[in-house]
Amino acid sequence: LFSTIVAYWQSARDEIDDFLSVINNIGDHYEFDSDFIMRTCLYNLDMPIVMKVESFKQDNINLIKTHWFDIKTSVKSTVKLLDELGFSSENIISNNAILPIIYYIFRNGKDSISSQSVKDDIRKYFVVAQAKKVFGNHSNQTLGNLRDALRDIKIFSYKAIKDIKLADDRT
């Protein structure tokens, strides 16, 4: 996949590697990889989130390049928030659980996580999502359903998303 991406964005490897160095060194360190970053790009830009060559056509790569700064800002803000909330690579079960938080910040800006009630609701979502293992077998469907629900939410609220139908009719 990366060779397809680099074909349309020559500096992609350096951009992503440099960014991974930054976010992986926040707090107690994380272990994010380029697949996580590319999946985040697809997710934030409302593209199909399946990691396959067709997902990285030239138009999609151009869109990623156009929004690269905002994508990086939302990812970095999320990782800093996770660190503030006491999470690290040692206690994160699924990186997929992070994508809806990044999406929310991408759509609403990093100031959208400044209130303590939003931080508390994000923590609750994150803990419940991992404890219930909602990102198991049908993670793409679950991610899609959460993204649809978050698209118009201006203030993150656990109450607003807790009853969303996930995969296999779970909530």
Side-chain angles (χ1 to χ4, degrees), residues 15-45:
E15 288 278 343
I16 293 168
D17 285 346
D18 290 347
F19 183 57
L20 284 169
S21 292
V22 169
I23 62 171
N24 283 333
N25 285 306
I26 292 174
D28 287 334
H29 300 284
Y30 293 86
E31 297 175 3
F32 299 111
D33 59 19
S34 59
D35 284 351
F36 174 77
I37 297 300
M38 296 318 299
R39 189 168 174 89
T40 299
C41 291
L42 295 174
Y43 194 72
N44 278 5
L45 298 173

Side-chain angles (χ1 to χ4, degrees), residues 5-130:
I5 295 164
V6 172
Y8 301 119
W9 182 16
Q10 293 179 353
S11 64
R13 185 174 310 279
D14 292 336
E15 288 278 343
I16 293 168
D17 285 346
D18 290 347
F19 183 57
L20 284 169
S21 292
V22 169
I23 62 171
N24 283 333
N25 285 306
I26 292 174
D28 287 334
H29 300 284
Y30 293 86
E31 297 175 3
F32 299 111
D33 59 19
S34 59
D35 284 351
F36 174 77
I37 297 300
M38 296 318 299
R39 189 168 174 89
T40 299
C41 291
L42 295 174
Y43 194 72
N44 278 5
L45 298 173
D46 292 314
M47 297 178 194
I49 52 179
V50 178
M51 293 287 288
K52 56 185 180 179
V53 173
E54 295 82 36
S55 299
F56 297 101
K57 296 178 183 173
Q58 185 171 3
D59 290 345
N60 290 355
I61 296 299
N62 289 338
L63 195 58
I64 291 168
K65 283 171 49 177
T66 299
H67 294 281
W68 181 237
F69 178 80
D70 294 329
I71 290 167
K72 290 191 319 183
T73 300
S74 61
V75 171
K76 188 175 179 182
S77 296
T78 301
V79 175
K80 285 182 174 182
L81 174 62
L82 290 173
D83 184 61
E84 177 185 331
L85 296 175
F87 297 102
S88 69
S89 61
E90 292 181 12
N91 57 20
I92 294 175
I93 296 168
S94 171
N95 283 345
N96 284 335
I98 301 169
L99 294 179
I101 302 167
I102 295 170
Y103 183 78
Y104 167 76
I105 295 170
F106 179 77
R107 298 200 47 98
N108 296 289
K110 64 182 178 180
D111 291 338
S112 65
I113 57 170
S114 60
S115 82
Q116 190 58 49
S117 64
V118 168
K119 289 177 184 180
D120 291 345
D121 278 359
I122 288 173
R123 178 193 318 240
K124 187 172 185 176
Y125 149 76
F126 196 66
V127 169
V128 169
Q130 293 193 99

